Amino acid sequence: MKKRPRLSSDVTRRDLLLGVGAAGASALFGLLRPAFAEQFGTQVTWTGYEKYEAAPLKAQAAMNSRRVVTRKSISTLSEHSDELRMFKEAVGVLRARSERSAMHPNGWAAIAAQHSLYCSGAVHGLQVHWSWLFLPWHRGFLYHLERTLAAAIGERTLALPYWDSSSDQMIPSHYWGEGNPLYDSTRLQRPEDRIPLDFMDVNACLMPRDFRTFGGYPYVSGDQEMVEGVMESAFHNNNHNWIGGNMATFWNAGYDPIFSGHHNNIDRAWAAWAAMPGHSMPEEKAWLDTVFTYSDPFGQPARMKIRDMLNTEAMGYRFDTLEFTQPNITPPRLNGAATGYAVAVDPSQRKVIANALRTGREYVTLRFTRVQANRLAVPLCARVFLGLDKEQPDFVTTVTLLPVQNGGAANLNEHVTVQMALRAGFAKQIESGKKLVAYMDPVPLRGRQIPEGAVKLDGVDVKLVAS
Ligand code: C2O
């Protein structure tokens, strides 16, 4: 009989189950090992943070007396503020837990792995990207992470800071520095690098009145088309991929502490969107009753329904501000080598679409359909242009296509539609009835190889979204 290897002395069967089920446990093992070596390896040791770990009674008391907390922009927190200190110490405590035991149910590694598991249909039978599950799943994840951090150090007021990346183009300094629990050595950008403004066009992402266009279409499985919301395909994906390293892969993204800073900003964008007049959330039960499993501050499985995630105050947090800064973007120019695709526009709709663009009362999207994302080995960031054949096209927006890593799961979508907002300026071209061409121009990023022919498109079209 073969002996079963043990990861460390305090791995127990209960630790392994973690509320993800037996199938999850083995998947979790596979996921943790490579990232564990990278993140909790020999260079950095988090053992010093054990001294901040709250005793169970103190942790419980912090949870019992917790009120609504205010989440702030991390760049507004001074190095010596209590808010930053709490966040750092708590992340350090979670990292130290994982260092003691890779399978600690409330260690940094196990929490990051919850995200990895929901990126593959294999464990939960759900993929939480490319559809209307995207915003709520990540909101629930941050909610549980924030409470787990607060309990870890027994501080009831701990609030997750956000990275306001449309205004702070550099990764905030608090995320840098060897030995800092908020640092991740796999990032491909340096502290002085600035994320291009067109990557973070928050105005374009907040524009749609229709939730599906903003936050994603209904979740479908198999070979049906998944339609990604603009918040996700542009603002969200561009930032992940730009940072690189752990953040640029589904499997490892949750390990980089900036994951919570970026997602918290997206959560803020959702709150801002929801607060705008005329905007409403989906009313379908299929959405409202979707349940996700996370873990509570004490390592027990915690189930949460989307219908209980629609009011942040009721969930126990608010944002210091729902304002976003949108610096002016100088429209990038098309690089001659980009591939052009003929764009389909329903001839009977041309006038209606042009009018919708001019009045701005309805929303028009350019859609790249049937991106066979599984042919893609690494994320592909591209600038999109649209124009009349043989003329210089105009810039539309910048999106990032993420590869499907399905690990053999049969229910994952190979086909994802990416949609993007068109502005009034395109009305004339669409109305003209002449041949329209769209281009995807890959953006070179530090340390990344852009794969040749990695993306296969079945079609590009222009669609009027009913509002
Ligand atoms: Cu679930 Cu930002 O990825």
Side-chain angles (χ1 to χ4, degrees), residues 154-221:
E155 292 276 10
R156 69 189 185 104
T157 60
L158 181 142
L160 274 183
Y162 60 86
W163 171 26
D164 186 2
S165 54
S166 61
S167 118
D168 307 325
Q169 288 175 265
M170 292 184 280
I171 295 175
S173 58
H174 297 320
Y175 289 105
W176 293 102
E178 293 285 338
N180 173 357
L182 307 184
Y183 176 60
D184 181 305
S185 59
T186 68
R187 293 175 198 149
L188 294 175
Q189 301 298 337
R190 307 186 190 113
E192 66 277 11
D193 290 326
R194 305 173 81 88
I195 188 162
L197 290 174
D198 60 293
F199 281 37
M200 299 278 96
D201 187 353
V202 70
N203 275 358
C205 294
L206 288 171
M207 208 160 84
R209 268 192 296 274
D210 162 50
F211 178 88
R212 295 175 176 204
T213 309
F214 169 70
Y217 276 60
Y219 179 75
V220 290
S221 60

Side-chain angles (χ1 to χ4, degrees), residues 50-64:
E50 278 145 356
K51 64 174 182 282
Y52 300 113
E53 171 117 38
L57 278 179
K58 192 172 177 216
Q60 192 64 63
M63 284 300 102
N64 293 345

Side-chain angles (χ1 to χ4, degrees), residues 115 119 128-129 134 137-138 236-237 240 247 250 253 259 262-263 266:
H115 179 252
C119 300
V128 296
H129 303 89
F134 169 72
W137 186 88
H138 292 84
H236 166 260
N237 292 359
H240 265 280
M247 274 291 273
F250 275 150
F259 179 85
H262 178 43
H263 270 282
I266 287 163

Side-chain angles (χ1 to χ4, degrees), residues 326-441:
Q326 178 64 70
N328 280 334
I329 297 167
T330 313
R333 303 274 296 174
L334 177 68
N335 146 18
T339 330
Y341 302 91
V343 180
V345 187
D346 177 352
S348 68
Q349 287 274 298
R350 257 186 220 124
K351 268 232 125 60
V352 187
I353 291 175
N355 278 339
L357 282 170
R358 287 201 183 97
T359 58
R361 254 182 268 119
E362 277 157 311
Y363 191 78
V364 179
T365 55
L366 175 67
R367 309 179 339 137
F368 282 73
T369 60
R370 301 226 152 210
V371 174
Q372 295 193 336
N374 60 337
R375 292 170 171 231
L376 205 59
V378 297
L380 178 83
C381 175
R383 294 194 165 114
V384 175
F385 296 81
L386 176 67
L388 295 178
D389 197 16
K390 304 203 176 71
E391 284 178 19
Q392 175 70 34
D394 295 310
F395 176 63
V396 179
T397 194
T398 304
V399 292
T400 299
L401 311 179
L402 297 176
V404 172
Q405 293 178 299
N406 62 13
N411 62 338
L412 276 186
N413 297 61
E414 293 183 353
H415 303 131
V416 178
T417 292
V418 179
Q419 36 173 6
M420 42 215 110
L422 288 184
R423 295 170 195 276
F426 290 102
K428 238 174 120 182
Q429 298 174 345
I430 289 173
E431 205 169 31
S432 77
K434 293 190 193 142
K435 192 176 167 201
L436 272 177
V437 183
Y439 300 84
M440 257 200 173
D441 190 5

